[in-house]
Amino acid sequence: MFLPHRLMCRDIFISGLRSMCAEEKIELISQLQIHPMYVFRWEEQEQAYLLLYPEGIVKLNNSAGHILKYCDGVRCVSEVIHELEREFDQQGLDKDVVKFMEVAHAKGWIRFKT
Amino acid sequence: MPKAGSDLKLDGNGKPLWLVLELTYKCPLKCPWCSNPLGFEDYANELTTQEWKTVLRDARKIGSLQLGFSGGEPMVRSDLEELVDEADTLGYYTNLISSGVGLTKDRLKELKRVGLKQIQISLQHNDAAKNDAMVGVKSFEQKMQCIEDIKSIGFPVVMNVPVSRFNIDAVEDIIKLAEYHNVEFLEFANLQYYNWALLNRDELLPTIEQLQHAEAKVNEARARLGKNMTIYFVIPDYFDGRPKACMNGWGAIHLTIAPDGSALPCQEAQTITHLEFPNVKDRPLDWIWNESPTFNAYRGTSWMKEPCVGCDEKENDFGGCRCQAFALTGDATNTDPACSKSPHFDMITSAVENARVTGRPGMPLVMRTRGAVSNLMKKVCA
């Protein structure tokens, strides 16, 4: 077996694959879901949410993890914002949430529900 | 609230995040660049299913997350599905690294069912006869069928092409083949020269002109294909002047278990002949990773000599690869000769130059087969 150079030496922490989604704007009514290439889950040992993908790992900070937790393909963006504002007892998170979703979408972590 | 996700990183924090299980050294192919030991046939005592499961549980306890099932050819093990099932249950992200030979549709379905996430399948050439000649076995048609099956079952297709003089000029045609099969990820993996590849290096190493031409073709394809296919093309350390940050450092994030249970900081580590590799059958994995002399031998930077000691890049590349330093200079604490600051850098540049000058026409390749090479003369007669 031949293990490639990429496995032996590349930076495994480059976070994520290129976006594989069409250029769409994230709206309050958009429904987003974790891209099926990724596994999103809580990791007890790291005390963090992780995104695992082919040969890579992204450790998410607390806020990013909680946003992705609600990207289930069912809730629309405004519902995600509502859930977060309720969970963290804060108001006016909409801009930050959408901004992060744009980043996550550009990285290919989430996609529009198909 | 979060800023960009890009700075949300996971460093090892001393954990073996990456676990590779070399389930067996058995393989139906005879690739003359194989990374397995030259004496692969001497590894008779493969771990049992239960012993592999114990490794999976113990590695998870010390923080392993990404798991590669490798070999040899992992499909040779009839318990692969059972091991993937166990690994998925334990929370690993499971990757299978296979030639595609033996990866039948029935086994693919079962692997999907038990939670396998990704399959990386190797291909040598878009031309069937050339592909088969390079691996010494008729396998092209099986690989093509396997790619179709992988797609139909719903896995992403990751095609890995080990690149040598024998296929580097076919990069463009290989991309077209990958395009035809709707491959999502195509990796051109320029060979790393260890074990069988090092033995055959003079025949396998491309010229720098071939490499540059291939890279240009890859860039053209990237522009044309856009988001439809991700193409990796990693410039090999021989041509770069900079050493690779091999394994992100010795004993930093990577743990390989050889078929017999030997624990290795990388899959080539057994080439460093004076090290003793602890075995999971004898010692707890926690001790092996954290305490064993072998895993601590080249951890951090305290083992370094000049020019690494005084180098401001030592925290980035860790002095390169210990196995390459040992293989080429006889001392694993030397700077990797692939580094332009190494006093042995001429060993690399002369090999690259030699590839351009001669190419040794007519010289045969040593295929990875039982009894193809012998250390016996050296051992007995020394």
Side-chain angles (χ1 to χ4, degrees), chain A residues 6-72:
Chain A
R6 186 164 54 91
L7 254 180
M8 293 178 69
C9 64
R10 92 220 167 288
D11 179 0
I12 69 160
F13 311 120
I14 43 171
S15 23
L17 309 164
R18 286 188 295 133
S19 167
M20 285 167 287
C21 314
E23 310 295 340
E24 287 179 76
K25 197 174 180 314
I26 293 175
E27 311 275 2
L28 287 174
I29 53 159
S30 306
Q31 289 167 299
L32 294 151
Q33 62 186 185
I34 303 290
H35 193 285
M37 185 74 80
Y38 293 83
V39 171
F40 170 76
R41 67 171 170 78
W42 175 258
E43 171 71 3
E44 194 63 29
Q45 290 212 35
E46 300 288 338
Q47 286 294 302
Y49 283 100
L50 301 180
L51 280 168
L52 298 159
Y53 62 98
E55 299 169 16
I57 305 162
V58 182
K59 180 174 172 177
L60 298 155
N61 73 15
N62 195 36
S63 321
H66 283 287
I67 295 172
L68 291 187
K69 181 178 72 180
Y70 291 119
C71 291
D72 54 8

Side-chain angles (χ1 to χ4, degrees), chain A residues 1 3 5-6 8 13 18-19 23 37 39 41 43 45-46 52-57 59 61 63, chain B residues 2 8 10 15 34-35 60-61 66 70-72 91 93 117 120 185 187 192 227 229 234 247 267:
Chain A
M1 181 49 61
L3 273 174
H5 188 278
R6 186 164 54 91
M8 293 178 69
F13 311 120
R18 286 188 295 133
S19 167
E23 310 295 340
M37 185 74 80
V39 171
R41 67 171 170 78
E43 171 71 3
Q45 290 212 35
E46 300 288 338
L52 298 159
Y53 62 98
E55 299 169 16
I57 305 162
K59 180 174 172 177
N61 73 15
S63 321
Chain B
L8 309 173
L10 179 68
K15 292 174 192 160
C34 183
S35 64
R60 195 72 185 91
K61 282 181 203 152
Q66 280 279 351
S70 178
Y93 191 94
K117 297 296 184 292
Q120 179 182 297
F185 297 91
E187 174 172 21
Q192 297 287 308
K227 289 174 176 171
M229 193 194 300
V234 183
M247 295 294 156
Q267 68 273 10

